[in-house]
Amino acid sequence: MLATKPYLTQADVQKILDAANKHAAANNWAVTIAVCDDGGHVLGLIRRDGCAPVSTYIAQEKARTAAMGKRESRVYEEIINNGRTSFLSAPHISGMLEGGVNIEVNGFTIGAVGVSGVKSTEDAETAKAGIAAIL
């Protein structure tokens, strides 16, 4: 018998985007919100009015990093800031800044949310507000 695991449906992605967008709007934050699956493939994205175009790329990379690493992107930023700069050469992850949060269900990372546009802690707060809508 093959193993089974939970996954993000399009309805889940929309709930995450809606909740994160609502949180950002309540705080008047111009951010980009990206949701990806466990392989780092983008499933949904919102760039709020007034948000810098580059944040679109940053949010996607934060989400990819959190999904593929199965941990918040903040962890990688801390590793680098604590002196292990060789970690910058890690393959396939480039969003090593706070603001990417993995989505864990029953011990599986099923995807992640990446946010960019405000302070890193506020980016992470927005991502977590989105994730809370499905957990």
Side-chain angles (χ1 to χ4, degrees):
M1 177 132 195
L2 295 174
T4 60
K5 67 177 185 175
Y7 65 93
L8 288 171
T9 65
Q10 193 58 51
D12 296 330
V13 172
Q14 195 60 55
K15 286 177 188 175
I16 291 167
L17 289 171
D18 290 345
N21 188 45
K22 182 178 178 181
H23 183 80
N27 288 288
N28 200 30
W29 292 338
V31 296
T32 295
I33 305 155
V35 180
C36 70
D37 65 13
D38 59 343
H41 306 97
V42 176
L43 301 174
L45 183 134
I46 293 174
R47 188 176 84 179
R48 293 181 45 77
D49 293 344
C51 188
V54 72
S55 72
T56 302
Y57 296 103
I58 296 169
Q60 290 177 70
E61 290 305 319
K62 286 179 178 183
R64 243 182 229 109
T65 296
M68 294 193 318
K70 298 182 177 185
R71 61 183 54 107
E72 288 191 42
S73 57
R74 167 187 54 79
V75 172
Y76 298 108
E77 182 178 11
E78 290 170 355
I79 289 169
I80 294 162
N81 287 344
N82 287 327
R84 191 163 182 216
T85 57
S86 62
F87 208 84
L88 290 166
S89 67
H92 304 293
I93 55 172
S94 61
M96 294 184 269
L97 302 164
E98 184 173 6
V101 180
N102 61 310
I103 304 166
E104 191 172 310
V105 175
N106 298 331
F108 293 96
T109 289
I110 63 168
V113 180
V115 179
S116 178
V118 287
K119 293 177 184 175
S120 294
T121 55
E122 296 166 345
D123 288 342
E125 177 184 320
T126 304
K128 290 174 183 176
I131 294 167
I134 64 162
L135 296 182

